[in-house]
């Protein structure tokens, strides 16, 4: 199937190819250099049925940097409100002339369905509790640029893991790239069956980590925020002080400040949160370029 629906099953060579190209795009952006218009004549449609700031804007800018055209479907002011089905909407956007469909939806599996209905290149921008592949690629690029390699890194993934598409894609990608993962959170948010090390005790693992990846508590997917969670799992100054001097903190955003992270840590030198955002555009450029190139 054309497109990028998930990272599950992708091999190391394919992940490295995305990261190598993304890194070249990042360097070109920083140098204010010229980019080959790999998407000349290509129309990219954003179909976001859930809110987004980072993913939608960075796909938009990525397509523009590669010389593509971008059209955006706004569900809150579209014929979706007149009862048009998702399938008819997707077929309509395809018939209008979109070549690539970037899809975010609350239902797991929607990008796959749209790919089957339309035959277009579909890029998953986050589906339900399933996957968010371009976020994980962005995170891998961020780690590779900081540490030189991902192999052997000790990564703690903390919080609302059970409903996190970000965690799923990240776990697939980190495992393939040779990182060692520990899952941390309340027992009811840890996977029932996993080959990975898992613990409810955040404090016991802090000292051994290279990377602390904090997840947003997703209230839209049943997550509840209470004082017990904040007390046991918020990364504040005291916990951050127990990390190693080179350890870094990542978070996919948007941040629940005062819940999973406090302001001081979010803005400290060990926080790579805005660096993750910076890497979002070159990563999505790489995904667009490789997917369009493969279909030509
Ligand atoms: N990380 C992420 O998907 O952010 P947005 O919801 O803002 O796109």
């Amino acid at each position: 199937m054309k497109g990028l629906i998930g990272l599950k099953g992708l091999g190391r060579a394919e992940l490295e190819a995305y990261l190598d190209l993304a890194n070249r795009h990042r360097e070109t952006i920083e140098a204010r250099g010229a980019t080959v218009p790999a998407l000349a004549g290509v129309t990219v449609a954003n179909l976001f049925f859930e809110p987004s700031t980072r993913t939608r804007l960075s796909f938009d800018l990525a397509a523009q940097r590669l010389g593509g055209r971008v059209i955006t479907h706004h569900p809150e002011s579209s014929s979706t409100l007149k009862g048009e089905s998702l399938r008819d909407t997707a077929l309509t956007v395809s018939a209008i002339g979109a070549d690539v469909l970037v899809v975010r939806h609350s239902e797991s599996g929607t990008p796959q369905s749209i790919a089957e209905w339309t035959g277009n290149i579909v890029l998953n921008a986050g589906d339900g509790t399933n996957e968010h592949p371009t976020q994980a690629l962005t995170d891998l690029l961020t780690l590779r640029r900081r540490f030189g390699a991902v192999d052997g890194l000790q990564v703690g993934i903390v919080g609302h893991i059970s409903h996190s598409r970000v965690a799923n894609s990240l776990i697939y990608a980190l495992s393939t790239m040779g990182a060692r993962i520990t899952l941390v959170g309340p027992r009811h948010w840890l996977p029932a069956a996993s080959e990975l090390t898992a613990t409810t005790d955040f404090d016991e693992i802090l000292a051994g980590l290279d990377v602390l990846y904090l997840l947003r508590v997703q209230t839209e997917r049943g997550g509840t925020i209470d004082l017990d969670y904040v007390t046991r799992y918020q990364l504040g100054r005291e916990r951050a002080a127990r990390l190693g001097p080179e350890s870094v903190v990542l978070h996919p955003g948007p941040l629940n400040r005062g819940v999973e992270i406090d302001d001081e840590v979010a803005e400290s030198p060990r926080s790579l949160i805005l660096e993750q955002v910076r890497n979002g555009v070159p990563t999505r450029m790489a995904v667009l370029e490789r997917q369009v190139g493969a279909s030509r």
Side-chain angles (χ1 to χ4, degrees), residues 71-127:
I71 57 175
T72 300
H73 168 262
H74 299 281
E76 71 283 3
S77 60
S78 76
S79 290
T80 300
L81 294 186
K82 292 186 263 183
E84 186 165 64
S85 71
L86 178 65
R87 183 172 182 275
D88 283 338
T89 299
L91 290 170
T92 299
V93 175
S94 177
I96 283 171
D99 303 293
V100 180
L101 307 178
V102 181
V103 178
R104 170 170 289 190
H105 201 280
S106 59
E107 291 288 323
S108 300
T110 297
Q112 171 95 22
S113 297
I114 290 180
E116 289 165 6
W117 294 331
T118 64
N120 282 95
I121 298 170
V122 173
L123 306 180
N124 182 0
D127 65 324

Short mmCIF file of all heavy atoms in Angstrom, two decimals, residues 71-127:
data_model
loop_
_atom_site.label_atom_id
_atom_site.label_comp_id
_atom_site.label_asym_id
_atom_site.label_seq_id
_atom_site.Cartn_x
_atom_site.Cartn_y
_atom_site.Cartn_z
N ILE A 71 -4.09 22.06 0.07
CA ILE A 71 -5.48 22.42 0.32
C ILE A 71 -5.87 21.82 1.67
O ILE A 71 -5.35 20.78 2.07
CB ILE A 71 -6.44 21.94 -0.79
CG1 ILE A 71 -6.34 20.42 -1.01
CG2 ILE A 71 -6.15 22.69 -2.10
CD1 ILE A 71 -7.36 19.89 -2.02
N THR A 72 -6.76 22.51 2.36
CA THR A 72 -7.11 22.08 3.72
C THR A 72 -8.62 21.95 3.86
O THR A 72 -9.36 22.88 3.52
CB THR A 72 -6.58 23.09 4.75
OG1 THR A 72 -5.15 23.14 4.62
CG2 THR A 72 -6.92 22.67 6.17
N HIS A 73 -9.03 20.79 4.32
CA HIS A 73 -10.44 20.53 4.62
C HIS A 73 -10.68 20.91 6.08
O HIS A 73 -9.93 20.49 6.97
CB HIS A 73 -10.70 19.03 4.41
CG HIS A 73 -12.01 18.55 4.93
ND1 HIS A 73 -12.14 17.94 6.16
CD2 HIS A 73 -13.25 18.59 4.40
CE1 HIS A 73 -13.40 17.61 6.35
NE2 HIS A 73 -14.10 18.00 5.29
N HIS A 74 -11.70 21.73 6.31
CA HIS A 74 -12.04 22.15 7.68
C HIS A 74 -13.35 21.47 8.06
O HIS A 74 -14.42 21.91 7.63
CB HIS A 74 -12.19 23.67 7.75
CG HIS A 74 -10.94 24.40 7.39
ND1 HIS A 74 -9.88 24.54 8.28
CD2 HIS A 74 -10.56 25.01 6.25
CE1 HIS A 74 -8.91 25.22 7.68
NE2 HIS A 74 -9.29 25.52 6.46
N PRO A 75 -13.33 20.40 8.85
CA PRO A 75 -14.57 19.66 9.13
C PRO A 75 -15.64 20.53 9.78
O PRO A 75 -16.83 20.31 9.56
CB PRO A 75 -14.12 18.53 10.06
CG PRO A 75 -12.70 18.74 10.36
CD PRO A 75 -12.15 19.78 9.46
N GLU A 76 -15.22 21.53 10.55
CA GLU A 76 -16.21 22.34 11.27
C GLU A 76 -16.98 23.29 10.35
O GLU A 76 -17.97 23.87 10.77
CB GLU A 76 -15.53 23.11 12.42
CG GLU A 76 -14.61 24.25 12.01
CD GLU A 76 -13.23 23.80 11.50
OE1 GLU A 76 -12.98 22.59 11.42
OE2 GLU A 76 -12.44 24.69 11.18
N SER A 77 -16.51 23.44 9.09
CA SER A 77 -17.25 24.31 8.16
C SER A 77 -17.40 23.62 6.80
O SER A 77 -17.48 24.27 5.77
CB SER A 77 -16.52 25.65 7.99
OG SER A 77 -15.21 25.42 7.48
N SER A 78 -17.44 22.29 6.83
CA SER A 78 -17.51 21.53 5.57
C SER A 78 -18.84 20.79 5.46
O SER A 78 -19.67 20.83 6.39
CB SER A 78 -16.37 20.51 5.54
OG SER A 78 -16.70 19.43 6.40
N SER A 79 -19.01 20.08 4.36
CA SER A 79 -20.25 19.32 4.16
C SER A 79 -20.34 18.11 5.09
O SER A 79 -21.37 17.42 5.10
CB SER A 79 -20.37 18.89 2.70
OG SER A 79 -20.63 20.04 1.90
N THR A 80 -19.30 17.87 5.87
CA THR A 80 -19.40 16.89 6.97
C THR A 80 -20.59 17.27 7.85
O THR A 80 -21.33 16.40 8.32
CB THR A 80 -18.09 16.89 7.79
OG1 THR A 80 -17.01 16.54 6.92
CG2 THR A 80 -18.16 15.92 8.95
N LEU A 81 -20.80 18.58 8.05
CA LEU A 81 -21.90 19.04 8.91
C LEU A 81 -23.26 18.79 8.26
O LEU A 81 -24.28 18.81 8.94
CB LEU A 81 -21.76 20.53 9.22
CG LEU A 81 -20.56 20.95 10.08
CD1 LEU A 81 -20.64 22.42 10.43
CD2 LEU A 81 -20.50 20.11 11.35
N LYS A 82 -23.28 18.58 6.94
CA LYS A 82 -24.55 18.28 6.26
C LYS A 82 -24.76 16.77 6.14
O LYS A 82 -25.64 16.32 5.42
CB LYS A 82 -24.56 18.93 4.87
CG LYS A 82 -24.60 20.46 4.94
CD LYS A 82 -24.74 21.08 3.56
CE LYS A 82 -23.40 21.50 3.02
NZ LYS A 82 -23.48 22.18 1.71
N GLY A 83 -23.92 16.04 6.83
CA GLY A 83 -24.12 14.59 6.88
C GLY A 83 -23.31 13.80 5.87
O GLY A 83 -23.51 12.59 5.74
N GLU A 84 -22.40 14.47 5.15
CA GLU A 84 -21.59 13.72 4.19
C GLU A 84 -20.74 12.69 4.92
O GLU A 84 -20.12 13.01 5.95
CB GLU A 84 -20.68 14.69 3.42
CG GLU A 84 -19.92 14.02 2.29
CD GLU A 84 -19.31 15.02 1.32
OE1 GLU A 84 -18.44 15.80 1.77
OE2 GLU A 84 -19.70 15.05 0.15
N SER A 85 -20.69 11.49 4.39
CA SER A 85 -19.93 10.43 5.06
C SER A 85 -18.43 10.68 4.88
O SER A 85 -18.00 11.39 3.96
CB SER A 85 -20.29 9.06 4.47
OG SER A 85 -19.76 8.95 3.16
N LEU A 86 -17.68 10.03 5.73
CA LEU A 86 -16.21 10.14 5.64
C LEU A 86 -15.72 9.62 4.29
O LEU A 86 -14.85 10.22 3.65
CB LEU A 86 -15.58 9.35 6.79
CG LEU A 86 -14.07 9.31 6.83
CD1 LEU A 86 -13.50 10.71 7.09
CD2 LEU A 86 -13.60 8.34 7.92
N ARG A 87 -16.31 8.51 3.84
CA ARG A 87 -15.90 7.93 2.56
C ARG A 87 -16.17 8.89 1.42
O ARG A 87 -15.32 9.11 0.55
CB ARG A 87 -16.62 6.59 2.34
CG ARG A 87 -16.22 5.86 1.07
CD ARG A 87 -16.83 4.46 1.03
NE ARG A 87 -16.41 3.74 -0.16
CZ ARG A 87 -17.01 3.84 -1.34
NH1 ARG A 87 -18.08 4.62 -1.47
NH2 ARG A 87 -16.56 3.17 -2.38
N ASP A 88 -17.37 9.51 1.43
CA ASP A 88 -17.70 10.45 0.35
C ASP A 88 -16.81 11.69 0.42
O ASP A 88 -16.41 12.23 -0.62
CB ASP A 88 -19.18 10.84 0.42
CG ASP A 88 -20.09 9.76 -0.14
OD1 ASP A 88 -19.59 8.92 -0.92
OD2 ASP A 88 -21.27 9.73 0.21
N THR A 89 -16.49 12.14 1.62
CA THR A 89 -15.58 13.28 1.75
C THR A 89 -14.21 12.94 1.16
O THR A 89 -13.64 13.71 0.38
CB THR A 89 -15.42 13.68 3.23
OG1 THR A 89 -16.71 14.07 3.73
CG2 THR A 89 -14.45 14.83 3.40
N ALA A 90 -13.71 11.77 1.51
CA ALA A 90 -12.38 11.37 1.01
C ALA A 90 -12.39 11.23 -0.51
O ALA A 90 -11.47 11.71 -1.20
CB ALA A 90 -11.96 10.05 1.66
N LEU A 91 -13.42 10.60 -1.04
CA LEU A 91 -13.51 10.44 -2.51
C LEU A 91 -13.64 11.80 -3.19
O LEU A 91 -13.08 12.01 -4.28
CB LEU A 91 -14.71 9.55 -2.86
CG LEU A 91 -14.55 8.07 -2.49
CD1 LEU A 91 -15.87 7.32 -2.67
CD2 LEU A 91 -13.44 7.40 -3.32
N THR A 92 -14.33 12.74 -2.55
CA THR A 92 -14.50 14.07 -3.12
C THR A 92 -13.17 14.82 -3.16
O THR A 92 -12.80 15.41 -4.18
CB THR A 92 -15.54 14.86 -2.29
OG1 THR A 92 -16.78 14.17 -2.36
CG2 THR A 92 -15.70 16.29 -2.79
N VAL A 93 -12.44 14.77 -2.07
CA VAL A 93 -11.15 15.47 -2.02
C VAL A 93 -10.19 14.86 -3.04
O VAL A 93 -9.44 15.57 -3.72
CB VAL A 93 -10.56 15.44 -0.59
CG1 VAL A 93 -9.17 16.05 -0.55
CG2 VAL A 93 -11.48 16.17 0.38
N SER A 94 -10.25 13.56 -3.18
CA SER A 94 -9.42 12.89 -4.18
C SER A 94 -9.82 13.33 -5.59
O SER A 94 -8.97 13.66 -6.43
CB SER A 94 -9.56 11.37 -4.02
OG SER A 94 -8.83 10.70 -5.01
N ALA A 95 -11.14 13.39 -5.86
CA ALA A 95 -11.61 13.77 -7.20
C ALA A 95 -11.31 15.23 -7.51
O ALA A 95 -11.10 15.60 -8.68
CB ALA A 95 -13.12 13.50 -7.30
N ILE A 96 -11.26 16.08 -6.49
CA ILE A 96 -10.90 17.49 -6.70
C ILE A 96 -9.49 17.60 -7.26
O ILE A 96 -9.17 18.54 -7.99
CB ILE A 96 -11.07 18.27 -5.37
CG1 ILE A 96 -12.56 18.54 -5.12
CG2 ILE A 96 -10.27 19.57 -5.35
CD1 ILE A 96 -12.87 19.10 -3.75
N GLY A 97 -8.65 16.60 -6.92
CA GLY A 97 -7.31 16.61 -7.50
C GLY A 97 -6.18 16.43 -6.50
O GLY A 97 -5.01 16.63 -6.86
N ALA A 98 -6.53 16.06 -5.27
CA ALA A 98 -5.45 15.84 -4.29
C ALA A 98 -4.69 14.56 -4.63
O ALA A 98 -5.29 13.55 -5.01
CB ALA A 98 -6.03 15.74 -2.89
N ASP A 99 -3.39 14.63 -4.53
CA ASP A 99 -2.54 13.44 -4.75
C ASP A 99 -2.21 12.75 -3.43
O ASP A 99 -2.14 11.54 -3.34
CB ASP A 99 -1.24 13.86 -5.43
CG ASP A 99 -1.49 14.59 -6.73
OD1 ASP A 99 -1.99 13.95 -7.67
OD2 ASP A 99 -1.23 15.81 -6.80
N VAL A 100 -1.96 13.56 -2.41
CA VAL A 100 -1.58 13.05 -1.10
C VAL A 100 -2.63 13.50 -0.09
O VAL A 100 -3.01 14.68 -0.07
CB VAL A 100 -0.20 13.61 -0.67
CG1 VAL A 100 0.20 13.06 0.71
CG2 VAL A 100 0.87 13.28 -1.71
N LEU A 101 -3.10 12.59 0.74
CA LEU A 101 -4.07 12.91 1.79
C LEU A 101 -3.38 12.72 3.15
O LEU A 101 -2.90 11.62 3.44
CB LEU A 101 -5.30 12.01 1.70
CG LEU A 101 -6.01 11.95 0.34
CD1 LEU A 101 -7.18 10.97 0.38
CD2 LEU A 101 -6.49 13.33 -0.08
N VAL A 102 -3.34 13.79 3.92
CA VAL A 102 -2.78 13.72 5.28
C VAL A 102 -3.97 13.66 6.22
O VAL A 102 -4.80 14.57 6.25
CB VAL A 102 -1.90 14.95 5.59
CG1 VAL A 102 -1.32 14.85 6.99
CG2 VAL A 102 -0.79 15.10 4.55
N VAL A 103 -4.07 12.56 6.98
CA VAL A 103 -5.32 12.27 7.70
C VAL A 103 -5.08 12.15 9.20
O VAL A 103 -4.23 11.37 9.64
CB VAL A 103 -5.94 10.95 7.19
CG1 VAL A 103 -7.21 10.61 7.97
CG2 VAL A 103 -6.24 11.04 5.69
N ARG A 104 -5.87 12.90 9.95
CA ARG A 104 -5.95 12.68 11.41
C ARG A 104 -7.40 12.40 11.75
O ARG A 104 -8.31 13.09 11.29
CB ARG A 104 -5.47 13.91 12.19
CG ARG A 104 -5.78 13.79 13.69
CD ARG A 104 -5.14 14.83 14.53
NE ARG A 104 -3.70 14.63 14.61
CZ ARG A 104 -2.90 15.30 15.44
NH1 ARG A 104 -3.41 16.22 16.25
NH2 ARG A 104 -1.62 15.07 15.47
N HIS A 105 -7.61 11.38 12.58
CA HIS A 105 -9.00 11.01 12.93
C HIS A 105 -9.01 10.32 14.29
O HIS A 105 -8.03 9.68 14.68
CB HIS A 105 -9.58 10.08 11.85
CG HIS A 105 -11.07 10.06 11.83
ND1 HIS A 105 -11.82 9.31 12.71
CD2 HIS A 105 -11.97 10.71 11.04
CE1 HIS A 105 -13.10 9.50 12.46
NE2 HIS A 105 -13.23 10.34 11.45
N SER A 106 -10.14 10.45 14.98
CA SER A 106 -10.25 9.85 16.32
C SER A 106 -10.42 8.33 16.26
O SER A 106 -10.21 7.65 17.28
CB SER A 106 -11.43 10.47 17.07
OG SER A 106 -12.62 10.26 16.33
N GLU A 107 -10.81 7.81 15.12
CA GLU A 107 -11.00 6.36 14.99
C GLU A 107 -9.72 5.70 14.47
O GLU A 107 -9.24 6.03 13.36
CB GLU A 107 -12.12 6.04 14.00
CG GLU A 107 -13.51 6.42 14.47
CD GLU A 107 -14.01 5.51 15.58
OE1 GLU A 107 -13.72 4.30 15.54
OE2 GLU A 107 -14.67 6.03 16.49
N SER A 108 -9.21 4.73 15.20
CA SER A 108 -8.07 3.96 14.71
C SER A 108 -8.45 3.28 13.39
O SER A 108 -9.57 2.77 13.26
CB SER A 108 -7.68 2.87 15.73
OG SER A 108 -7.33 3.44 16.96
N GLY A 109 -7.53 3.30 12.44
CA GLY A 109 -7.77 2.61 11.18
C GLY A 109 -8.31 3.49 10.07
O GLY A 109 -8.40 3.05 8.91
N THR A 110 -8.69 4.73 10.39
CA THR A 110 -9.28 5.59 9.35
C THR A 110 -8.31 5.88 8.20
O THR A 110 -8.72 5.81 7.03
CB THR A 110 -9.80 6.91 9.98
OG1 THR A 110 -10.83 6.57 10.90
CG2 THR A 110 -10.34 7.85 8.93
N PRO A 111 -7.03 6.21 8.45
CA PRO A 111 -6.13 6.46 7.31
C PRO A 111 -6.04 5.25 6.37
O PRO A 111 -6.03 5.39 5.15
CB PRO A 111 -4.78 6.76 7.98
CG PRO A 111 -5.14 7.27 9.33
CD PRO A 111 -6.35 6.47 9.73
N GLN A 112 -6.01 4.05 6.95
CA GLN A 112 -5.97 2.82 6.14
C GLN A 112 -7.22 2.71 5.28
O GLN A 112 -7.16 2.41 4.08
CB GLN A 112 -5.87 1.63 7.10
CG GLN A 112 -6.03 0.28 6.47
CD GLN A 112 -4.70 -0.35 6.10
OE1 GLN A 112 -3.67 0.02 6.66
NE2 GLN A 112 -4.73 -1.26 5.17
N SER A 113 -8.38 2.98 5.87
CA SER A 113 -9.64 2.91 5.11
C SER A 113 -9.63 3.92 3.98
O SER A 113 -10.02 3.61 2.84
CB SER A 113 -10.84 3.19 6.03
OG SER A 113 -10.92 2.21 7.03
N ILE A 114 -9.17 5.14 4.26
CA ILE A 114 -9.16 6.18 3.22
C ILE A 114 -8.20 5.80 2.10
O ILE A 114 -8.49 6.03 0.92
CB ILE A 114 -8.83 7.55 3.85
CG1 ILE A 114 -10.03 8.01 4.70
CG2 ILE A 114 -8.46 8.59 2.79
CD1 ILE A 114 -9.86 9.34 5.39
N ALA A 115 -7.09 5.19 2.45
CA ALA A 115 -6.15 4.73 1.42
C ALA A 115 -6.81 3.68 0.52
O ALA A 115 -6.65 3.70 -0.70
CB ALA A 115 -4.89 4.16 2.07
N GLU A 116 -7.57 2.77 1.13
CA GLU A 116 -8.24 1.73 0.34
C GLU A 116 -9.35 2.31 -0.53
O GLU A 116 -9.52 1.93 -1.68
CB GLU A 116 -8.79 0.64 1.28
CG GLU A 116 -7.68 -0.19 1.90
CD GLU A 116 -8.14 -1.02 3.10
OE1 GLU A 116 -9.36 -1.04 3.40
OE2 GLU A 116 -7.26 -1.65 3.75
N TRP A 117 -10.11 3.27 0.00
CA TRP A 117 -11.22 3.86 -0.77
C TRP A 117 -10.71 4.67 -1.97
O TRP A 117 -11.30 4.64 -3.03
CB TRP A 117 -12.04 4.80 0.11
CG TRP A 117 -12.79 4.14 1.22
CD1 TRP A 117 -13.28 2.85 1.27
CD2 TRP A 117 -13.12 4.73 2.49
NE1 TRP A 117 -13.90 2.62 2.48
CE2 TRP A 117 -13.82 3.75 3.25
CE3 TRP A 117 -12.92 5.98 3.07
CZ2 TRP A 117 -14.31 4.00 4.52
CZ3 TRP A 117 -13.41 6.24 4.35
CH2 TRP A 117 -14.08 5.25 5.07
N THR A 118 -9.63 5.43 -1.76
CA THR A 118 -9.22 6.42 -2.76
C THR A 118 -8.07 5.97 -3.66
O THR A 118 -7.93 6.48 -4.76
CB THR A 118 -8.77 7.73 -2.08
OG1 THR A 118 -7.60 7.45 -1.28
CG2 THR A 118 -9.88 8.32 -1.20
N GLY A 119 -7.21 5.10 -3.14
CA GLY A 119 -5.99 4.75 -3.89
C GLY A 119 -4.94 5.84 -3.84
O GLY A 119 -3.89 5.72 -4.48
N ASN A 120 -5.18 6.90 -3.06
CA ASN A 120 -4.20 7.98 -2.93
C ASN A 120 -3.06 7.57 -1.99
O ASN A 120 -3.18 6.62 -1.22
CB ASN A 120 -4.85 9.23 -2.33
CG ASN A 120 -5.66 10.00 -3.36
OD1 ASN A 120 -6.86 9.82 -3.47
ND2 ASN A 120 -4.99 10.84 -4.11
N ILE A 121 -1.98 8.36 -2.05
CA ILE A 121 -0.96 8.27 -1.00
C ILE A 121 -1.58 8.85 0.26
O ILE A 121 -2.03 10.01 0.26
CB ILE A 121 0.29 9.10 -1.38
CG1 ILE A 121 0.93 8.58 -2.67
CG2 ILE A 121 1.28 9.13 -0.22
CD1 ILE A 121 2.00 9.51 -3.22
N VAL A 122 -1.65 8.07 1.33
CA VAL A 122 -2.22 8.56 2.59
C VAL A 122 -1.13 8.56 3.66
O VAL A 122 -0.42 7.56 3.84
CB VAL A 122 -3.42 7.70 3.03
CG1 VAL A 122 -3.90 8.12 4.43
CG2 VAL A 122 -4.56 7.83 2.03
N LEU A 123 -1.01 9.67 4.34
CA LEU A 123 -0.05 9.81 5.44
C LEU A 123 -0.84 9.95 6.74
O LEU A 123 -1.70 10.83 6.86
CB LEU A 123 0.85 11.03 5.21
CG LEU A 123 1.57 11.06 3.85
CD1 LEU A 123 2.44 12.31 3.74
CD2 LEU A 123 2.41 9.80 3.64
N ASN A 124 -0.54 9.07 7.67
CA ASN A 124 -1.27 9.06 8.95
C ASN A 124 -0.73 10.17 9.84
O ASN A 124 0.43 10.15 10.26
CB ASN A 124 -1.09 7.68 9.61
CG ASN A 124 -1.85 7.57 10.92
OD1 ASN A 124 -2.51 8.51 11.35
ND2 ASN A 124 -1.74 6.41 11.54
N ALA A 125 -1.61 11.12 10.17
CA ALA A 125 -1.23 12.22 11.07
C ALA A 125 -1.74 11.98 12.48
O ALA A 125 -1.83 12.91 13.28
CB ALA A 125 -1.78 13.54 10.52
N GLY A 126 -2.06 10.71 12.78
CA GLY A 126 -2.54 10.34 14.11
C GLY A 126 -3.94 9.76 14.00
O GLY A 126 -4.87 10.49 13.63
N ASP A 127 -4.09 8.44 14.30
CA ASP A 127 -5.41 7.82 14.25
C ASP A 127 -5.74 7.14 15.57
O ASP A 127 -5.11 6.17 15.96
CB ASP A 127 -5.53 6.84 13.06
CG ASP A 127 -4.61 5.63 13.14
OD1 ASP A 127 -3.46 5.77 13.64
OD2 ASP A 127 -5.05 4.54 12.72
#
